[in-house]
Amino acid sequence: MLRELEIVEQLILGQDPLHRGQALHTPKDPALDQARAHYYQQLKRVSKQHAAEPAQPSLPARSGQNRAGERWSIAEDNRLSALWETSATVTSAELADKLGRSRTAILARLVKQGYFPDQASAMQADDQRLEQAGQPAWWATQPKPAIPATTPATPPSPHAHTAQGSGPIDIPNAGKAWSASDDARLRASWHDPAAPNCASIAQSMGRSRAAIIARLVRIGEYPDRDAVRAAERERESNLGRED
């Protein structure tokens, strides 16, 4: 059953489970993504019911935090994003096990990707998922000094998601799973004749700019985040020439 979970996970990520590293190139379809996610959740439920059974000896052991300190690749970022969004119950502990990172590194990367405004918000969301699964909150029991505070070394970028005359504004939908209607709204906003940038779309949808960029990749508008940023710069330069 664990092998089946891994196969379905690869399908959700758009990867060929028989040829590692190769994409399936299946057309993007929100209904299909939801069906896969539903099947994945049901499979996880059944797997937990049989968790007491002896593990298959042929399955390799998880490598734990063997990638600690290594630079995140685009593929890892995409996998983290897909796993966090696909399952509303997956926690940092499970993601750390799958990706070979620490729980702190997982949440820090989710903050970096724009799912949360800061580490504290990410920890709170992670604890909520644990409690929904009937498990005790974990981050709330950890000593505060164990989570180092981060201070930006450079001034905010021109695209920073902030309110005029104040600090960073609230991001009400940070960390929430994207629905099919959210994806449709994002796609329509991006193709709007007014050519809005990612920051303005983020403000209207209650997300961060980084989350908008990541989602445009996820729904198949662009192959990677750099392509989204390049397209955004091009449309902004076009608007400048029109002015």
Side-chain angles (χ1 to χ4, degrees), residues 70-229:
E70 293 185 21
R71 186 173 184 175
W72 286 74
S73 66
I74 294 176
E76 286 181 295
D77 272 339
N78 290 340
R79 188 182 186 199
L80 172 62
S81 176
L83 290 173
W84 182 262
E85 292 180 3
T86 300
S87 172
T89 60
V90 70
T91 64
S92 65
E94 297 171 281
L95 294 175
D97 185 46
K98 289 179 181 294
L99 298 176
R101 306 278 182 171
S102 68
R103 298 176 75 163
T104 302
I106 292 295
L107 294 192
R109 199 63 187 178
L110 288 171
V111 172
K112 178 72 173 178
Q113 290 185 358
Y115 286 99
F116 301 98
D118 50 49
Q119 193 87 345
S121 301
M123 290 187 291
Q124 184 178 8
D126 196 37
D127 275 347
Q128 288 175 351
R129 289 191 172 197
L130 287 168
E131 291 172 342
Q132 289 171 0
Q135 303 177 42
W138 192 79
W139 294 103
T141 64
Q142 301 304 301
K144 299 298 182 183
I147 309 299
T150 56
T151 302
T154 57
S157 72
H159 297 294
H161 199 54
T162 58
Q164 186 175 3
S166 65
I169 65 173
D170 182 40
I171 307 177
N173 295 322
K176 291 184 180 179
W178 288 73
S179 65
S181 60
D182 289 334
D183 284 341
R185 181 183 172 190
L186 171 59
R187 198 186 299 274
S189 296
W190 181 252
H191 292 287
D192 188 285
N197 58 23
C198 292
S200 60
I201 295 176
Q203 187 171 7
S204 67
M205 298 190 70
R207 305 272 183 174
S208 68
R209 177 175 177 266
I212 295 298
I213 292 175
R215 196 62 188 178
L216 285 170
V217 175
R218 176 67 178 160
I219 63 178
E221 289 291 328
Y222 296 93
D224 53 51
R225 291 174 174 82
D226 287 340
V228 180
R229 297 185 184 101

Side-chain angles (χ1 to χ4, degrees), residues 5-21:
L5 277 169
E6 291 178 356
I7 291 174
V8 175
E9 180 180 305
Q10 289 298 309
L11 292 174
I12 291 174
L13 294 171
Q15 301 295 320
D16 187 341
L18 298 179
H19 302 87
R20 186 173 298 276

Side-chain angles (χ1 to χ4, degrees), residues 227-241:
V228 180
R229 297 185 184 101
E232 184 180 39
R233 288 194 297 269
E234 181 179 359
R235 66 168 52 186
E236 287 178 342
S237 65
N238 290 338
L239 286 174
R241 285 196 294 269

